[in-house]
């Protein structure tokens, strides 16, 4: 068993910034990420890709280079390709890398596992050719692979970002089928004043929209009755917009209506969560350093609530300062002084969020899908199945899971959990907090017996 | 299974190496993401679901959805979390529903 001061799970902006901050004040840090290279979702593979496609992906992507550079520090051990599958007693992290198991004991643990795309169950969303918009972006960033005939569906700034990256790459999407409405925009307007403090984000948004317009990409808004059709793969998409039924042949459909915290690791150790009505997702209960009800465990980044990459990095630094002070590496005065400007920057970065959250709410037809729509991709359970289980008395997702197998497949509810909670809450006229979420238990990711068998002897060698 | 790809691959100078999927040979760029390389090579269906036999292909590309499962040397793994190495032998997972169940 390797012993260290701080284990960080996730090498995105939050984890990388935390690692550098902690290492700089003398803590020994082990940084684990299942990806082969650091960067997280936004800066995926940035060291290798920036020289090749940096211009196409934009400055917001190449900005990640300063964070990956911070990992080059004697106190930081980055174990890449390390899939964390359990956290034990708030101090031990179990992972597999290269087909072997490893274990680390640490005085503090930071969960920086980021976000997932909000599940978007629409009729036909399990067909090959239907992916998350983030998946298409990952294909582009990491592999230089582009969808030739894609329709982007959903809402939110990330949808526009991906559209503009596709345009710059030379493969414009066929169309944007957007679900937000004029009424959403009206509801967002009162927040525009606050958002102006984050005017750079608004400007960026407007620039992307004009890029999309100049490329001649058709945008449909207030789209409803969205349906993806195809026999063995996506062949076209149907929807209603401006009172007309539309139909676009395509071979790729890219879904996105926002990102939500990936709460799997935190839930597996019983960190308490609550429903955030503004962001329409569950978030962990945290103090203002990212501390949880498990004293040794902190959470930073989009896993703590959606704030974006800049906020993730800043929050990673805050959590690192707190843990460094807890372990006596810095004084509480130093901690608080260093934290002050960081907190100011976070407030500034978050100013645009209430506007965005109102302007681009989740698509209702995907949060409360029609009965025939599959909501659990793994076990192929439909929305109607869940409603029926509510009808016979299922109050929460764990009961529904026992009855229907929804959430029992390998993805452990990552792409059905929110939908199941939403459906049950609606059917039972209960709040999301009353309804709750799946109980998550390790392994967070499947582990093979071979990997477990390799664990004993190889632990020390796996972690230098 | 292998058709004209819906994807375009930007030029990157990488050595192509042979990989076998369901007995057919693919030439894939060494070191690249396996799921991405398979998609670019025209693999449209990665597996069929154990419940209804429906075709599936990568959905999230970030290791979360498990739709990209393939068998590699008898172990079911996520193609989006692997890199291309020479001579990989891949097949569709067939062993029934509990192979990779989290079962919690
Ligand atoms: C697919 C996708 C694409 C996005 N693209 C953009 C974008 O282009 N621009 C933008 O502003 N925002 C984007 N976002 C939003 C994004 O969440 C934030 O901008 C930012 O990446 C959050 O940083 P983070 O450090 O909190 O988490 P992330 O950057 O998500 O990093 C989390 C890391 O944790 C690792 N991890 C998770 N679970 C485990 C585990 N069990 N074991 C080991 N490692 C694990 C992941 O591999 C990942 O590298 C995207 C989000 C998603 C989901
Ligand atoms: S595509 Fe989702 S896990 Fe690989």
């Amino acid at each position: 068993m390797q012993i260290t001061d701080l284990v960080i799970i996730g090498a995105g902006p939050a984890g990388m910034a935390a690692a550098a901050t902690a290492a700089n004040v003398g803590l020994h840090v082990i940084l684990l990420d299942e990806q082969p290279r650091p960067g997280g979702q936004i800066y995926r593979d940035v060291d290798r890709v920036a020289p090749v496609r940096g211009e196409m992906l934009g400055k917001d992507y190449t900005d990640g280079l300063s964070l990956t550079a911070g990992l080059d520090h004697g106190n930081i051990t980055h174990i890449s390709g390390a899939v964390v599958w359990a956290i034990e007693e708030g101090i031990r992290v179990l992972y597999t890398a290269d087909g072997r198991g490893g274990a680390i004991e640490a005085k503090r643990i930071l969960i920086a596992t980021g976000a997932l795309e909000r599940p978007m169950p629409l009729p036909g969303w399990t067909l090959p050719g239907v992916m998350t918009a983030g998946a298409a972006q990952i294909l582009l960033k990491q592999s230089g692979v582009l969808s030739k005939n894609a329709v982007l569906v959903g809402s939110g700034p990330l949808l526009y970002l991906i559209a503009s990256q596709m345009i710059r790459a030379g493969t414009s999407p066929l169309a944007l089928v957007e679900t937000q409405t004029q009424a959403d925009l009206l509801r967002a307007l009162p927040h525009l004043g606050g958002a102006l403090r984050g005017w750079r984000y608004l400007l960026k948004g407007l620039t992307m929209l004009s890029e999309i317009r100049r490329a001649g990409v058709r945008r449909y808004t207030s789209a409803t009755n969205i349906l993806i059709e195809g026999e063995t793969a996506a062949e076209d998409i149907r929807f209603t917009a401006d009172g007309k039924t539309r139909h676009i042949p395509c071979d790729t459909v890219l879904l996105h209506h926002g990102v939500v915290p990936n709460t799997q690791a935190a839930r597996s150790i019983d960190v308490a969560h609550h429903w955030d009505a503004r962001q329409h997702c569950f978030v962990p209960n945290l103090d203002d350093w990212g501390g949880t009800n498990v004293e040794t465990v902190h959470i930073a980044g989009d896993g703590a609530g959606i704030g974006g990459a800049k906020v993730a990095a800043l929050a990673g630094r805050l959590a690192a300062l707190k843990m460094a002070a807890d372990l006596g590496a810095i004084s509480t005065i130093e901690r608080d002084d260093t934290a002050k400007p960081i907190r100011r920057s976070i407030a500034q970065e978050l100013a645009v969020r209430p506007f965005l959250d109102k302007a681009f709410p989740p698509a209702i037809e995907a949060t409360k899908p029609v009965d025939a729509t599959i909501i659990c991709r793994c076990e192929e359970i439909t929305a109607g199945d869940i409603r029926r289980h509510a009808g016979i008395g299922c109050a929460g997702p764990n009961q529904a899971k026992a009855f229907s197998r929804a959430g029992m497949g390998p993805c452990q509810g990552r792409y059905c959990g929110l939908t199941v909670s939403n459906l049950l809450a609606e059917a039972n006229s209960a709040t999301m907090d009353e309804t709750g979420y799946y109980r998550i238990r390790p392994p967070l990711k499947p582990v093979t017996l071979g990997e477990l068998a390799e664990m004993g002897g190889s632990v020390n060698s796996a972690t230098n | 299974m292998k058709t004209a790809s819906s994807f375009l691959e930007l030029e990157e100078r990488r050595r192509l190496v042979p990989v076998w999927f369901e007995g057919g040979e693919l030439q894939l760029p060494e070191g690249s993401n396996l799921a991405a390389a398979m998609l670019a090579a025209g693999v449209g269906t990665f597996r069929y679901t154990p419940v209804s036999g429906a075709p599936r292909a990568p959905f999230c590309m970030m290791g979360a959805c498990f739709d990209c499962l393939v068998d590699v040397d008898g172990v079911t793994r996520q193609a989006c979390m692997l890199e291309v190495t020479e001579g990989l032998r891949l097949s569709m997972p067939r062993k029934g529903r509990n192979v990779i169940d989290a079962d919690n």
Side-chain angles (χ1 to χ4, degrees):
Chain A
M1 171 107 47
Q2 172 93 344
I3 306 220
T4 192
D5 294 322
L6 170 62
V7 169
I8 300 177
I9 310 168
M16 292 191 290
T21 306
N24 282 333
V25 296
L27 296 190
H28 291 276
V29 181
I30 297 180
L31 176 62
L32 302 171
D33 196 296
E34 59 187 338
Q35 288 297 325
R37 280 167 291 272
Q41 299 314 340
I42 175 159
Y43 307 130
R44 171 78 77 123
D45 221 350
V46 64
D47 290 338
R48 196 182 58 83
V49 172
V52 201
R53 280 185 290 282
E55 209 161 316
M56 174 198 302
L57 294 167
K59 184 171 173 304
D60 287 345
Y61 176 71
T62 53
D63 273 353
L65 288 170
S66 63
L67 285 167
T68 52
L71 299 183
D72 189 10
H73 190 295
N75 286 354
I76 302 176
T77 308
H78 173 208
I79 306 178
S80 62
V83 182
V84 172
W85 58 271
I87 302 172
E88 292 180 343
E89 293 165 44
I91 53 164
R92 237 180 344 271
V93 174
L94 308 183
Y95 67 95
T96 57
D98 268 341
R100 291 165 160 216
I104 308 169
E105 196 161 292
K107 298 185 182 116
R108 288 288 180 280
I109 294 173
L110 178 68
I111 298 176
T113 50
L116 294 171
E117 269 169 287
R118 181 188 298 283
M120 199 166 175
L122 293 172
W125 77 309
T126 52
L127 285 167
V130 184
M131 294 188 289
T132 67
Q137 196 199 31
I138 290 169
L139 285 172
L140 166 59
K141 280 183 192 167
Q142 186 173 29
S143 309
V145 166
L146 285 149
S147 323
K148 286 190 282 198
N149 300 298
V151 175
L152 283 162
V153 182
S155 72
L158 214 51
L159 202 69
Y160 301 137
L161 172 64
I162 293 166
S164 67
Q165 287 172 333
M166 290 172 74
I167 291 165
R168 266 176 265 152
T171 50
S172 298
L174 301 176
L176 267 66
V177 176
E178 301 176 35
T179 52
Q180 81 284 351
T181 64
Q182 201 71 31
D184 294 326
L185 188 60
L186 288 176
R187 273 191 284 272
L189 282 181
H191 300 280
L192 188 59
L196 287 173
R197 285 210 296 144
W199 60 272
R200 280 194 187 82
Y201 286 101
L202 293 178
L203 185 65
K204 242 178 251 166
L206 292 173
T207 313
M208 289 190 293
L209 285 175
S210 77
E211 217 173 334
I212 292 165
R213 195 169 43 242
R214 267 185 285 123
V217 178
R218 180 86 192 257
R219 289 181 56 208
Y220 302 90
T221 55
S222 311
T224 54
N225 302 316
I226 305 167
L227 168 67
I228 303 153
E229 295 174 315
E231 279 292 313
T232 55
E235 288 165 21
D236 66 47
I237 177 160
R238 276 176 203 278
F239 57 96
T240 309
D242 311 319
K244 286 199 201 103
T245 303
R246 317 260 174 181
H247 162 233
I248 308 175
C250 57
D251 51 36
T252 305
V253 175
L254 304 175
L255 305 175
H256 176 87
H257 62 156
V259 296
V260 296
N262 174 2
T263 58
Q264 304 289 118
R267 285 183 185 279
S268 77
I269 53 168
D270 295 326
V271 167
H273 287 70
H274 66 273
W275 181 251
D276 181 328
R278 181 165 67 77
Q279 297 196 334
H280 304 273
C281 59
F282 285 106
V283 295
N285 299 355
L286 301 175
D287 65 24
D288 57 6
W289 299 96
T292 71
N293 51 305
V294 182
E295 200 196 337
T296 45
V297 177
H298 284 66
I299 305 178
D302 271 2
I306 304 305
K310 292 262 156 48
V311 174
L314 292 163
R317 292 177 58 196
L318 277 187
L321 290 171
K322 172 66 166 47
M323 294 184 287
D326 287 353
L327 299 177
I330 56 172
S331 69
T332 51
I333 297 171
E334 194 179 347
R335 175 194 73 188
D336 295 346
D337 285 350
T338 322
K340 250 181 229 145
I342 300 177
R343 292 191 193 283
R344 269 197 302 277
S345 306
I346 289 180
Q348 171 112 25
E349 294 288 335
L350 286 178
V352 74
R353 289 280 152 183
F355 175 79
L356 294 179
D357 290 332
K358 286 282 183 217
F360 303 105
I364 290 170
E365 22 186 278
T367 53
K368 305 198 170 127
V370 294
D371 277 354
T373 309
I374 288 179
I375 54 109
C376 167
R377 301 175 63 89
C378 298
E379 298 290 336
E380 300 180 74
I381 311 297
T382 65
D385 293 332
I386 300 300
R387 289 193 178 101
R388 261 192 307 283
H389 291 302
I392 57 167
C394 281
N398 295 303
Q399 275 171 299
K401 180 175 176 174
F403 277 99
S404 70
R405 287 191 68 84
M408 271 203 195
C411 102
Q412 287 197 321
R414 285 173 175 84
Y415 287 105
C416 71
L418 276 181
T419 320
V420 169
S421 295
N422 261 315
L423 289 170
L424 290 175
E426 188 190 35
N428 294 325
S429 306
T431 65
M432 287 299 269
D433 282 320
E434 285 161 354
T435 306
Y437 193 81
Y438 290 134
R439 193 164 43 241
I440 305 297
R441 285 291 168 260
L444 296 170
K445 291 273 176 96
V447 197
T448 65
L449 286 177
E451 287 164 337
L452 282 183
E454 283 278 350
M455 195 147 152
S458 68
V459 172
N460 294 319
S461 59
T463 54
N464 61 286
Chain B
M1 200 182 325
K2 187 168 178 278
T3 51
S5 176
S6 317
F7 296 90
L8 178 78
E9 209 167 2
L10 296 177
E11 214 136 1
E12 257 183 77
R13 259 163 276 133
R14 286 202 176 183
R15 191 166 79 99
L16 294 178
V17 295
V19 166
W20 279 268
F21 179 59
E22 290 287 293
E25 186 184 326
L26 303 170
Q27 289 286 331
L28 305 182
E30 187 172 34
S32 60
N33 181 280
L34 178 63
M38 287 169 70
L39 287 172
V43 176
T45 297
F46 279 47
R47 67 182 184 105
Y48 294 94
T49 60
V51 181
S52 75
R56 288 288 169 87
F59 176 71
C60 74
M61 287 302 292
M62 53 183 280
C65 75
F66 293 77
D67 266 325
C68 63
L69 293 178
V70 290
D71 274 4
V72 188
D73 297 329
V75 182
T76 306
R77 304 192 56 187
Q78 295 165 296
C80 74
M81 302 298 287
L82 295 174
E83 295 191 345
V84 173
T85 52
E86 185 162 354
L88 271 182
R89 284 185 185 272
L90 312 168
S91 56
M92 295 188 179
R94 284 213 176 72
K95 284 189 250 156
R97 61 185 303 145
N98 287 316
V99 196
I100 199 168
D101 258 11
D103 233 11
N104 58 322

